Amino acid sequence: MANNPVVNMFKVKELRSRIFFTLLILAVFRLGTILTVPGINASLLVEYFNDIVRNTSGRAAEGAFASYMDFFAGGAFEKFSVFMLGVMPYISTQIILQLALVIFPSLKRIAQEEGGQRRVQTWTRVGTILVCLIQSMAITVYADSINRQVPGVIIFENKLYFKMLAILTVTTGSMITVWMGDQITAHGIGNGISMLIFAGIVARLPSAVWELIKLVRNGEQNVVFVIVAFILFLVIIGFVVYEQSGERKIPVHYAKRVVGRKMYGGQSTYIPFKINPSGVIPIIFASAFLTFPLQLANSFAENQPWLGNLARWLNPLGIWYNVIEVLLIVFFAYFYTQVTLNPTEIARNIRENGGSIPGIRTDKTESYLQKVLNRLILPGSLYLAVIALLPTVIQIVFNFPQSISMLMGGTSLLILVGVDIDTMAQVEALLKTHHHDGLTKKGLKSRNL
């Protein structure tokens, strides 16, 4: 009987333990997304958001905001669950600190010292708590505005008590999700933070498909449009996979050198640069960067008219929101690539090890690598931007509900494909380490472009 890679996954003890551990953490995470914050009447809350869906006139912006926030929280935002903020405060804090490390050289020097990364992680945790406190405070204001429209949503008469309890619960819940993500990274499979977002997206797929089926049954959606959209969805997945596996290989030749009585070098290798070096990070960063002001604007819009105008201006379905998102995606693509693939450091490492790129002068290595990266980043970032705009296009062209269109493109599609490829690569490596065949006969190979 031929080796079955799926069976081999569970034969390897280390891999089996990592898979079961990841599934356990994801199950706990999903449980937290259905536990409502103390003091909230869950049934009245469901009626309120259902009313938004039925009556979109005059409340389209609020409905779009709720669906947008709900997407990143894996369905937890509209339930006002303990994990309603998810990992987005942590990602927002990471963005701020990464920018600070680039802007302030003193902070970068601290990060490069021994134990510096641990200090940066501590700053990130503290910053995440502060962001959580601000966002959870905004959530209590948002809940209070809902309570004025639907009396009884907040069951506590003492509003101060409710606010303190909700802020503490939501902040603690968000920090627990960050901790769970770290545990998956350390003891499970894949990147923990990405896996939590991935789990939230996958969990929403069945309800979105059922909602689409009901629309077709009720005659509210043309079945031809649904079939066309589904075919388009499969084609887009194919393009995303094709793009994610493509890379540019930069050949490097190392000269022979004698150290003591041994000879080293004299070999040729290459530096792999992906077409999209930053992966899904720019689109996640851009979304997180916009989520924070969007939530504050919607939460405090009732008391501050200018915030109401900002909330409408930042409507996820509006043109300005999408223009800003595209610009941020391009910016973060360049920024994150420069942080993770610094041409100066790569060139220095090549020189220190006696290497050179054929046809390129040694003193021109850095500029050559920078030129190659720039040629890769621009089309890669524009590709991400096009994918990010797909939900809005699908919603306008096919008149699909936002909950469905957001799952057919944009961040969701990139995260689903990107996390899946990364996780498969990690499983592949563990299988081969234990002398088993990979998930595919030829393995997960990249394409040289």
Side-chain angles (χ1 to χ4, degrees):
M1 181 179 176
N3 286 335
N4 188 322
V6 177
V7 174
N8 291 338
M9 286 169 55
F10 294 95
K11 283 183 178 179
V12 179
K13 183 179 179 181
E14 180 188 1
L15 184 55
R16 183 174 66 247
S17 300
R18 285 179 174 272
I19 291 173
F20 284 139
F21 181 82
T22 302
L23 293 175
L24 176 62
I25 295 294
L26 293 180
V28 174
F29 170 70
R30 290 308 303 163
L31 177 64
T33 60
I34 61 175
L35 296 177
T36 308
V37 171
I40 292 290
N41 188 320
S43 59
L44 287 179
L45 196 66
V46 170
E47 290 182 12
Y48 171 78
F49 283 111
N50 286 340
D51 181 58
I52 289 180
V53 175
R54 289 190 298 266
N55 179 26
T56 56
S57 58
R59 304 173 72 180
E62 185 177 357
F65 159 72
S67 296
Y68 179 82
M69 294 295 296
D70 210 36
F71 164 75
F72 289 104
F77 187 82
E78 290 187 358
K79 295 184 180 72
F80 268 72
S81 77
V82 294
F83 290 166
M84 67 184 301
L85 289 181
V87 294
M88 296 309 284
Y90 177 75
I91 296 175
S92 300
T93 308
Q94 275 191 321
I95 297 170
I96 296 171
L97 273 177
Q98 291 287 350
L99 289 171
L101 290 174
V102 174
I103 296 172
F104 302 105
S106 57
L107 291 178
K108 187 175 182 179
R109 284 195 296 270
I110 293 175
Q112 292 174 341
E113 294 174 357
E114 185 178 355
Q117 288 301 316
R118 188 176 301 173
R119 295 178 68 178
V120 172
Q121 281 294 325
T122 302
W123 296 342
T124 306
R125 294 289 190 280
V126 174
T128 302
I129 294 174
L130 294 177
V131 173
C132 285
L133 290 173
I134 297 172
Q135 288 191 270
S136 57
M137 190 181 302
I139 284 170
T140 61
V141 176
Y142 184 54
D144 193 47
S145 67
I146 294 176
N147 188 65
R148 283 195 289 271
Q149 299 177 56
V150 185
V153 167
I154 300 177
I155 61 177
F156 292 141
E157 293 184 3
N158 189 330
K159 296 299 176 60
L160 179 61
Y161 174 73
F162 164 74
K163 289 184 177 182
M164 296 299 294
L165 182 61
I167 290 172
L168 179 62
T169 302
V170 173
T171 300
T172 304
S174 187
M175 295 307 298
I176 289 174
T177 60
V178 173
W179 177 82
M180 289 192 295
D182 290 341
Q183 296 307 304
I184 291 176
T185 302
H187 308 292
I189 292 290
N191 179 281
I193 300 299
S194 298
M195 285 295 291
L196 293 178
I197 301 176
F198 176 89
I201 296 171
V202 172
R204 295 189 64 198
L205 280 172
S207 60
V209 172
W210 178 244
E211 183 180 353
L212 186 59
I213 292 173
K214 288 194 296 183
L215 289 175
V216 173
R217 282 182 176 179
N218 297 334
E220 298 177 29
Q221 189 58 253
N222 191 322
V223 67
V224 176
F225 282 0
V226 174
I227 294 173
V228 171
F230 181 71
I231 294 173
L232 180 63
F233 177 64
L234 295 178
V235 171
I236 294 169
I237 289 178
F239 276 117
V240 171
V241 173
Y242 182 81
E243 190 274 345
Q244 291 282 0
S245 61
E247 63 181 26
R248 171 76 180 275
K249 295 179 179 180
I250 308 297
V252 179
H253 179 73
Y254 291 95
K256 293 181 180 179
R257 54 180 179 161
V258 178
V259 180
R261 295 183 177 181
K262 293 184 178 180
M263 181 175 291
Y264 295 90
Q267 61 180 358
S268 296
T269 183
Y270 65 88
I271 303 172
F273 283 162
K274 287 184 173 293
I275 296 180
N276 180 23
S278 52
V280 299
I281 296 298
I283 199 169
I284 294 178
F285 274 17
S287 300
F289 195 84
L290 285 170
T291 297
F292 191 52
L294 180 64
Q295 183 190 358
L296 295 180
N298 274 275
S299 299
F300 295 101
E302 191 172 344
N303 299 325
Q304 299 291 334
W306 69 274
L307 284 176
N309 294 330
L310 178 62
R312 287 187 289 273
W313 194 69
L314 284 178
N315 180 0
L317 298 180
I319 184 173
W320 288 113
Y321 174 89
N322 288 280
V323 168
I324 295 173
E325 184 179 28
V326 168
L327 294 176
L328 285 174
I329 288 172
V330 175
F331 167 76
F332 283 121
Y334 276 92
F335 169 76
Y336 191 78
T337 302
Q338 291 298 322
V339 171
T340 55
L341 295 174
N342 192 326
T344 303
E345 294 181 3
I346 296 175
R348 185 175 65 248
N349 290 333
I350 292 175
R351 287 193 297 269
E352 289 177 352
N353 289 281
S356 62
I357 299 175
I360 304 298
R361 288 170 47 185
T362 305
D363 59 338
K364 298 292 184 180
T365 301
E366 181 182 341
S367 59
Y368 173 75
L369 293 175
Q370 184 65 65
K371 182 180 178 181
V372 172
L373 276 177
N374 288 339
R375 288 181 174 178
L376 292 174
I377 296 171
L378 182 58
S381 61
L382 293 178
Y383 149 82
L384 287 177
V386 170
I387 297 294
L389 293 177
L390 276 177
T392 304
V393 174
I394 291 173
Q395 190 169 354
I396 294 173
V397 174
F398 296 104
N399 196 29
F400 279 10
Q402 187 176 6
S403 60
I404 298 172
S405 61
M406 288 189 71
L407 292 171
M408 297 189 68
T411 310
S412 60
L413 189 60
L414 287 168
I415 291 175
L416 286 174
V417 175
V419 173
D420 184 53
I421 290 176
D422 291 342
T423 304
M424 286 178 65
Q426 188 171 341
V427 172
E428 184 101 3
L430 286 170
L431 283 173
K432 290 185 175 180
T433 301
H434 291 82
H435 309 291
H436 287 284
D437 291 335
L439 294 175
T440 59
K441 291 182 180 179
K442 295 183 179 179
L444 296 173
K445 293 184 179 180
S446 297
R447 295 173 296 100
N448 185 23
L449 300 176

